[in-house]
Structure formats: structure tokens, C-alpha cells
């Protein structure tokens, strides 16, 4: 590539490649998508009551929290988020034992808490066999942004956006 010592003249400026309408549209769409994901992820902040002891020194030590869940685990984090919202959740919510995330769909059925495959902000997402997370945002495509503990980062906070139809998409959403 040639380097010029002086400023680019208007004549030479026309020789520079200019993005075509198609590539401009792609850039604009990509920018809008990045902005939307960034905004959704910024909505989630770690307000968990036990964030000061996670991931260490308490992560994985099986210390019970005030909701009778293990500190720094997904169920404790979701219990905290539900209580922030005014749902008086504990491991014995509505007289039913919730405890392990793998039991939450059974517990929801027994407690009469509705669940289905349609996400809403504030829902609890059932992911994998033994993991729950909190739904922070849902876009018009059904993609969900979740916040969670003990998923990608052992006994620590993370957020992610999961595309509807992907293999990691939640199997159910519990509507507290």
C-alpha cells in the first residue's frame, strides 16, 4: 500500500473504496444487534446478597443462606432475585420442597406455580437438567438474556443471551 506524505487530495479521495449500500446495511444491522445485546446485558447487575463471598471463600462449601439454599449456587441466586421482586421465596415456598434445581418443575407443579415454554421478564428459566437462572430480558424473537450463578464461572455471577431454538435454550420458564 502506498503512503502519501501530504493530505489526500479530493481527486485521490474518490479512488478510496466506499462501502456499498449492501455492506452499509449489514454494518448498521450488526451495530444495532450489538447495541441491543449490550443493552440487555447491561440491564443485569449483580445484586445478590452473597456476592461478597462468591466465588470464594464460600463457593462450593455448602453453607446455607437465609432461604435455606446453598450460598453461591444457582438456586440461592434465583431465590435472592425472586425476593428482590417481592416473591417470598424459600426452599419451602408454598409448603413444597424446592431445593435442587432439578426438582423445580415438580415443585412448581405441586405448588400450583405456572410454567411453560414462553419466557417473560422476571421468570425463572430451567436450563439443563439441574440449573436455574433469572430472566432479565426477552426480545421480539424470543431470545432471552439471563443472569445466573454457578454456570460458566464456578460459584460466580454471569449473564448471557440465549437464542430461541439453540441447544442451550431453557426448557421451561416458571412464572412466579
Amino acid at each position: 500500500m502506498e503512503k502519501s506524505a501530504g493530505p489526500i487530495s479530493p481527486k485521490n479521495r474518490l479512488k478510496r473504496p466506499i462501502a456499498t449500500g449492501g455492506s452499509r446495511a449489514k454494518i448498521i444491522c450488526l451495530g444495532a444487534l450489538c447495541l441491543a445485546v449490550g443493552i440487555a446485558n447491561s440491564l443485569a447487575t449483580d445484586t445478590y446478597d452473597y456476592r461478597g463471598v462468591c466465588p470464594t471463600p464460600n463457593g462450593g462449601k455448602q453453607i446455607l443462606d437465609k432461604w435455606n439454599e446453598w450460598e453461591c449456587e444457582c438456586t440461592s441466586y434465583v431465590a435472592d432475585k425472586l425476593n428482590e421482586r417481592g416473591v417470598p421465596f424459600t426452599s419451602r415456598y408454598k409448603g413444597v420442597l424446592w431445593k435442587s434445581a432439578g426438582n423445580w418443575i415438580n415443585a412448581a407443579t405441586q405448588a400450583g406455580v405456572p410454567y411453560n415454554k414462553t419466557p417473560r421478564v422476571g421468570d425463572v428459566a430451567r436450563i439443563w437438567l439441574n440449573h436455574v437462572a433469572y430472566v432479565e430480558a426477552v426480545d421480539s424473537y424470543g431470545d432471552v438474556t439471563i443472569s445466573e450463578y454457578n454456570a460458566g464461572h464456578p460459584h460466580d455471577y454471569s449473564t448471557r443471551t440465549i437464542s430461541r431454538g439453540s441447544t442451550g435454550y431453557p426448557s421451561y420458564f416458571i412464572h412466579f
Side-chain angles (χ1 to χ4, degrees):
M1 174 178 236
E2 283 184 87
K3 289 191 178 179
S4 168
I8 299 173
S9 71
K11 180 181 167 188
N12 289 339
R13 190 172 312 191
L14 293 175
K15 294 179 185 176
R16 299 173 107 190
I18 298 173
T20 64
S23 58
R24 278 188 189 150
K26 289 175 189 172
I27 291 168
I28 290 168
C29 287
L30 183 58
L33 176 63
C34 290
L35 179 62
V37 169
I39 289 170
N41 283 333
S42 70
L43 294 174
T45 56
D46 188 3
T47 57
Y48 179 47
D49 282 359
Y50 296 89
R51 70 185 172 277
V53 297
C54 302
T56 58
N58 294 0
K61 291 193 175 177
Q62 296 190 333
I63 300 169
L64 288 174
D65 64 18
K66 61 187 173 184
W67 306 286
N68 204 31
E69 297 287 350
W70 303 120
E71 290 179 6
C72 310
E73 298 288 344
C74 62
T75 53
S76 174
Y77 174 72
V78 168
D80 180 67
K81 292 296 284 185
L82 290 171
N83 277 277
E84 280 179 11
R85 253 191 47 218
V87 176
F89 186 88
T90 68
S91 68
R92 287 248 176 224
Y93 182 67
K94 293 195 171 189
V96 175
L97 181 64
W98 292 70
K99 215 65 177 140
S100 169
N103 187 52
W104 280 43
I105 295 301
N106 289 335
T109 300
Q110 291 174 12
V113 177
Y115 63 91
N116 59 29
K117 294 183 179 282
T118 305
R120 298 183 318 203
V121 172
D123 282 350
V124 174
R126 166 77 184 292
I127 307 170
W128 311 314
L129 179 60
N130 202 25
H131 186 66
V132 289
Y134 190 78
V135 177
E136 299 285 351
V138 181
D139 72 13
S140 60
Y141 299 104
D143 299 349
V144 293
T145 298
I146 58 168
S147 60
E148 60 197 332
Y149 259 75
N150 203 25
H153 307 282
H155 303 104
D156 205 359
Y157 176 79
S158 60
T159 63
R160 57 190 165 125
T161 299
I162 308 170
S163 299
R164 182 179 202 91
S166 68
T167 33
Y169 197 75
S171 52
Y172 291 104
F173 299 93
I174 306 171
H175 310 297
F176 285 89

